[in-house]
Amino acid sequence: MTTPSQTVGPFFALGLPFAGGPLAVADGTPGAFWLRGVVLDGAGDPVPDALIETWQADPDGRFDHPDDPRGAVATPGFRGFARCPTDPQGRYAIRTVRPGPVPGPDGVLQAPHIDVSVLARGLLDRVVTRIYFPDAAANAGDPVLATVDPIRRQTLIAKETDDGYAFDITLQGDHETVFFTF
Amino acid sequence: MPDWKPPAPYRSHAEADQPPLAAPGYGSTRLRSPHHPLLVLPQGLTELTGPALGERDFGALDNDLTRQHDGEPQGERIEVFGRVLDGDGRPVRDTLVEIWQTNAAGRYNHVGDQHPAPLDPNFTGAGRTMTDSDGRYRFMTIKPGAYPWRNHPNAWRPAHIHFSLFGRAFTQRLVTQMYFPNDPLFGQDPIFNSVRDDAARQRMVAAFDLDATTPEWSLAYRWDIVLRGRDATPMEDS
């Protein structure tokens, strides 16, 4: 009996973006990098009216949240959430730090990951994906990555760049990003 | 195994409660909806936690859209209020509610909106508030207008207010639209009708509430929003 989802529409820029939204960490945070990407549609064209939101653990794999059973931990300068609308070329950029490994439902550690929501005109519900890091040894044992067809698994793994990482999102088609439901 | 108990996961939506990502009547879904089936992601701590956004992030919040400029906006003044609940009827407290909407003439204050209806210099059309300890929220605004779009010949969106909610966890995030009762445009709107179950569609429609009107000032619409519930009260054993 939940309230249904509806599209964010083309005009969310009126209400949702905010100053500092793309910054999951405060300026000057050690180890901070840019996570940049392009959102593409099924024709390979950029999506200029998407909204990207990210959520992640802090570098120790902890959350400042009452439901973290290990206890909420507030890390100064760390919000863990970022929101960035795409530009006319479909690009987004988020400033963050690398999360630590996080326990899964069974307590087994998952490789460092960032959860991503993609919202846009033409998406009646958000789509959710995960960003993993290319150089993380823990990826090999990650229980979520293990469920993904190896051919499509690489869509979940960011690429290293000069100032951080790149993670492109393809909504549809041959190179479609893996999206999750829960 | 860890010496702590993982929080209970959130229940899935009933299929009838959600629109499909591919809705043939809504043209923009054609190139934007994924073709591959969604993979099931077991809910770990990243999914069972979420941001607690508020004034620290946005500065002062503003739930009165009629007082954001020097003058009064044009249109029918309305209060929109209700509760944010989870699927078990529990209030979702201290959570951010964001809205945006057209002005009374059906035009968004956005450069991309080319509908030749007047802009209102006294109306921006965006607000933010937090739910209280009982899950209650309220906005003062003006009733938005219907507007044409190019989805199909002579297509018009029913008047609506966009709502964005976070709930307690990443899993509960919801972006939706609130509609007004008895809108004659419902029948031809593929976004409203993307939700195929009539009872679920009606959960997107606010109720006119005469008792909540302010005499000589504003009409009122009540709308409760239901986020996903979970299998047990969090931390109930601790």
Side-chain angles (χ1 to χ4, degrees):
Chain A
M1 299 291 279
T2 50
T3 305
S5 170
Q6 295 274 269
T7 178
V8 75
F11 303 128
F12 63 79
L14 177 56
L16 294 184
F18 61 98
L23 309 177
V25 293
D27 272 345
T29 300
F33 56 81
W34 285 102
L35 174 62
R36 303 177 188 273
V38 180
V39 182
L40 301 168
D41 70 11
D45 292 326
V47 175
D49 53 2
L51 185 73
I52 301 296
E53 290 182 347
T54 63
W55 172 243
Q56 64 173 87
D58 73 13
D60 297 322
R62 303 287 289 260
F63 297 92
D64 183 14
H65 191 281
D67 289 346
D68 187 328
R70 303 162 296 175
V73 173
T75 306
F78 180 83
R79 178 166 63 198
F81 172 84
R83 171 186 279 173
C84 185
T86 56
D87 71 8
Q89 285 76 45
R91 297 175 300 199
Y92 72 92
I94 280 163
R95 189 146 178 91
T96 191
V97 293
R98 187 136 156 175
V102 170
D106 45 9
V108 173
L109 283 183
Q110 300 185 345
H113 60 268
I114 297 175
D115 275 12
V116 183
S117 299
V118 185
L119 301 118
R121 167 178 67 86
L123 284 174
L124 285 160
D125 195 356
R126 66 170 170 165
V127 289
V128 169
T129 188
R130 266 190 176 188
I131 299 171
Y132 286 86
F133 294 87
D135 50 352
N139 288 350
D142 182 78
V144 173
L145 284 176
T147 66
V148 181
D149 179 342
I151 294 167
R152 301 191 65 212
R153 198 177 293 160
Q154 47 80 28
T155 70
L156 299 176
I157 298 173
K159 295 180 172 63
E160 203 165 347
T161 61
D162 289 346
D163 63 354
Y165 295 92
F167 185 80
D168 294 342
I169 297 168
T170 302
L171 293 175
Q172 185 191 87
D174 290 343
H175 306 289
E176 187 175 307
T177 301
V178 169
F179 297 109
F180 295 101
T181 185
F182 35 54
Chain B
M1 289 298 290
D3 57 359
W4 43 264
K5 189 179 174 209
Y10 289 82
R11 290 191 299 275
S12 299
H13 291 289
E15 200 168 318
D17 285 351
Q18 289 300 323
L21 287 170
Y26 174 25
S28 293
T29 66
R30 192 171 59 85
L31 286 171
R32 294 186 168 188
S33 55
H35 284 168
H36 288 271
L38 305 180
L39 300 189
V40 175
L41 179 64
Q43 295 171 38
L45 288 183
T46 313
E47 292 73 39
L48 293 167
T49 58
L53 303 176
E55 292 194 350
R56 193 176 48 173
D57 305 281
F58 305 106
L61 304 183
D62 187 0
N63 69 344
D64 189 343
L65 285 68
T66 68
R67 294 181 184 277
Q68 295 175 339
H69 298 274
D70 290 340
E72 286 255 15
Q74 298 286 327
E76 187 180 306
R77 209 180 282 121
I78 60 171
E79 186 174 343
V80 175
F81 71 101
R83 296 177 77 197
V84 181
L85 304 166
D86 71 14
D88 301 304
R90 285 187 289 248
V92 182
R93 55 180 62 96
D94 304 323
T95 193
L96 177 69
V97 183
E98 299 172 285
I99 66 167
W100 68 103
Q101 63 170 87
T102 71
N103 65 22
R107 178 126 180 220
Y108 288 97
N109 184 11
H110 184 290
V111 291
D113 187 353
Q114 297 299 308
H115 175 34
L119 285 166
D120 184 339
N122 290 314
F123 192 71
T124 300
R128 288 187 169 102
T129 195
M130 305 295 291
T131 59
D132 69 11
S133 59
D134 208 22
R136 295 181 194 282
Y137 74 90
R138 66 177 289 277
F139 290 97
M140 183 64 78
T141 185
I142 53 98
K143 194 172 182 184
Y147 58 87
W149 59 317
R150 295 193 175 86
N151 184 72
H152 58 273
N154 199 22
W156 291 79
R157 291 299 329 279
H160 58 273
I161 298 177
H162 293 268
F163 271 71
S164 162
L165 297 111
F166 284 86
R168 186 182 176 95
F170 183 80
T171 309
Q172 281 187 311
R173 179 99 175 89
L174 176 69
V175 173
T176 186
Q177 301 178 24
M178 185 204 91
Y179 298 92
F180 292 86
N182 304 310
D183 195 313
L185 293 168
F186 282 156
Q188 57 77 62
D189 183 47
I191 294 179
F192 180 72
N193 290 298
S194 66
V195 179
R196 289 164 185 161
D197 182 72
D198 183 58
R201 276 198 302 273
Q202 295 311 315
R203 290 201 288 278
M204 302 188 288
V205 182
F208 176 69
D209 189 336
L210 186 65
D211 292 338
T213 56
T214 302
E216 315 298 325
W217 187 254
S218 64
L219 296 175
Y221 289 88
R222 186 184 68 249
W223 191 50
D224 291 345
I225 301 156
V226 183
L227 307 179
R228 291 165 63 161
R230 65 200 311 187
D231 292 332
T233 304
M235 312 292 285
E236 62 180 352
D237 296 332
S238 62

